[in-house]
Amino acid sequence: MKLYQTLRNVGKFRTVFDFGGRDVAHWFPGHMAKGLKQMKANLKSVDCIIEIHDARIPFSGRNPVFQENLDVKPHLLILNKMDLADLSSKQRILTTLENNGVRNVIFTDCLKQRDDNIKELVPMVVDIIKKQPRFNRFESRNYCLMVIGVPNVGKSSLINSVRRTHLKKGRASRVGGEPGITKAVLTKIQVCERPIMHLLDTPGVLPPKIESVETGMKLALCGTILDHLVGEDIIADYLLYSLNRTAKFSYVEKYDLQEPSDDIQNVLKRIAVKLGKTQRVKAITGLGNITVTVPNYTAAAYDFIRSFRKGELGQVMLD
Ligand SMILES: Nc1nc2c(ncn2[C@@H]2O[C@H](COP(=O)(O)OP(=O)(O)OP(=O)(O)O)[C@@H](O)[C@H]2O)c(=O)[nH]1
């Protein structure tokens, strides 16, 4: 999108999103309390907590329960999927996190075959651990890390990347595109030989209470909640709102729109037509039954969301 087109659209879009009185309570499955309990029970043998979160939402949706329950240990925050995030305000992010007591942060892209930041991880973790007493494990030369995070942020992918980089071995942890794929609780996986380092993979745990509907929507947009629990239509609308708000207009060219629009029905209609996602349905009129072609809004919404998650609508920052 050209700059003049961007400027032409200033002031044209929604500045707040209407959530229509939605309640986030039913978006979150109950099995997650069990995961957290098992994680707490295993903490004794853990030297460092590796918390992974989505780089597009560095502040929203990080599970406060982790902090309350797991805060006793050295901690490293990994902001993953950096390839999908607009990191032009990286320094602001780091400063805000530091003001909230999060000092050890790295950004990663686990899909990249060689990510230099992943190489940094082992030495950084050793350094963090060495700075703090290891309590009852001070004699042990092996390191045990626990990987935590909300669903679908890339915990398994990170473990596989670290193994690839530090152990030259392939995949050990199953990766999936749907939230909640890591069902087996606390699998212990070796990721490094020198020093010997193991990671405990954990199931994705969402906060039992989301601070606001907007935070819930950001989590949904990043794929951490099953789409149908929230609704593809509202996720698509929130996506459109977010793209316009941050002046990320590449959807206009991708879907052959004439200009940016803040009207989700209009955008979905264009997407449906462009992708040939239309349906022929019977309509009863005063003149008898006729067949009309209508856009498949749900299919269009699904494509819009999926394109965003694959990075095809550009890099964004939702916080
Ligand atoms: N673009 C991008 N996608 C990633 C990255 N890391 C992981 N993914 C994708 O994100 C999805 C989830 O990855 P997983 O590694 O299964 O995530 P998880 O946190 O273990 O998921 P749960 O088991 O649901 O808790 C998969 O489709 C991965 O391919 C990354 O750095 N960039």
Side-chain angles (χ1 to χ4, degrees):
M1 178 73 22
K2 315 273 181 306
L3 180 64
Y4 71 89
Q5 281 169 299
T6 305
L7 292 174
R8 214 175 60 195
N9 287 293
V10 168
K12 187 175 155 184
F13 304 114
R14 290 168 286 182
T15 51
V16 285
F17 189 81
D18 178 10
F19 292 100
R22 275 181 170 74
D23 177 15
V24 285
H26 68 284
W27 295 352
F28 303 98
H31 74 263
M32 293 185 174
K34 191 174 160 207
L36 192 67
K37 212 166 146 196
Q38 279 166 313
M39 283 151 72
K40 276 167 73 180
N42 277 270
L43 261 188
K44 231 162 105 183
S45 59
V46 169
D47 300 302
C48 183
I49 307 266
I50 310 282
E51 178 190 348
I52 310 190
H53 201 57
D54 193 306
R56 291 166 295 181
I57 41 171
F59 316 124
S60 293
R62 283 181 53 223
N63 197 332
V65 179
F66 292 154
Q67 268 123 304
E68 285 155 27
N69 289 289
L70 310 171
D71 221 15
V72 286
K73 296 282 176 180
H75 173 266
L76 170 67
L77 175 65
I78 293 186
L79 291 172
N80 189 37
K81 307 198 183 184
M82 68 178 288
D83 52 307
L84 303 177
D86 175 357
L87 295 179
S88 48
S89 57
K90 189 170 170 184
Q91 200 44 53
R92 170 186 70 94
I93 295 167
L94 292 174
T95 307
T96 309
L97 287 169
E98 190 168 354
N99 291 341
N100 286 304
V102 185
R103 269 167 216 94
N104 307 307
V105 183
I106 52 176
F107 291 85
T108 56
D109 170 1
C110 289
L111 296 194
K112 213 155 118 188
Q113 275 303 310
R114 281 168 53 90
D115 182 352
D116 288 341
N117 295 351
I118 299 276
K119 268 200 202 145
E120 254 183 56
L121 193 140
V122 168
M124 197 165 170
V125 164
V126 171
D127 195 48
I128 293 169
I129 295 172
K130 280 192 175 154
K131 280 189 192 141
Q132 301 208 15
R134 288 177 80 192
F135 305 108
N136 54 335
R137 288 178 36 78
F138 65 93
E139 279 172 5
S140 170
R141 289 189 186 173
N142 302 352
Y143 295 94
C144 182
L145 323 178
M146 184 183 276
V147 180
I148 62 170
V150 300
N152 219 29
V153 285
K155 293 179 291 301
S156 303
S157 303
L158 178 92
I159 293 174
N160 292 331
S161 285
V162 180
R163 267 173 75 85
R164 222 169 31 227
T165 310
H166 292 279
L167 208 60
K168 309 284 176 239
K169 283 196 180 151
R171 187 172 275 201
S173 210
R174 227 163 59 117
V175 175
E178 288 245 303
I181 207 94
T182 314
K183 289 280 190 249
V185 190
L186 305 187
T187 327
K188 193 171 181 179
I189 301 155
Q190 186 174 359
V191 289
C192 190
E193 232 139 40
R194 271 203 247 159
I196 294 176
M197 196 174 270
H198 287 91
L199 291 183
L200 287 178
D201 194 6
T202 63
V205 179
L206 281 163
K209 198 165 176 294
I210 297 286
E211 59 187 89
S212 69
V213 187
E214 180 135 31
T215 295
M217 199 59 79
K218 289 178 186 177
L219 285 167
L221 193 47
C222 293
T224 68
I225 305 168
L226 289 170
D227 291 340
H228 69 265
L229 294 177
V230 181
E232 280 89 352
D233 51 347
I234 182 121
I235 300 176
D237 194 16
Y238 188 75
L239 169 57
L240 182 64
Y241 160 77
S242 302
L243 293 173
N244 288 334
R245 190 175 54 84
T246 52
K248 299 282 178 181
F249 296 127
S250 57
Y251 70 91
V252 174
E253 270 152 56
K254 179 173 167 64
Y255 294 116
D256 291 343
L257 271 76
Q258 276 168 351
E259 59 174 356
S261 164
D262 217 8
D263 177 351
I264 190 64
Q265 293 298 319
N266 174 40
V267 172
L268 292 182
K269 195 192 289 172
R270 296 294 177 142
I271 295 175
V273 171
K274 159 97 182 161
L275 302 177
K277 294 193 185 293
T278 51
Q279 294 164 315
R280 290 180 64 74
V281 293
K282 280 212 170 78
I284 303 164
T285 71
L287 301 169
N289 294 356
I290 55 164
T291 307
V292 291
T293 303
V294 294
N296 184 338
Y297 287 103
T298 308
Y302 180 74
D303 191 86
F304 191 38
I305 298 166
R306 200 185 46 99
S307 299
F308 164 75
R309 290 184 185 151
K310 281 164 68 183
E312 290 171 6
L313 304 181
Q315 295 172 316
V316 295
M317 177 51 58
L318 296 170
D319 275 344

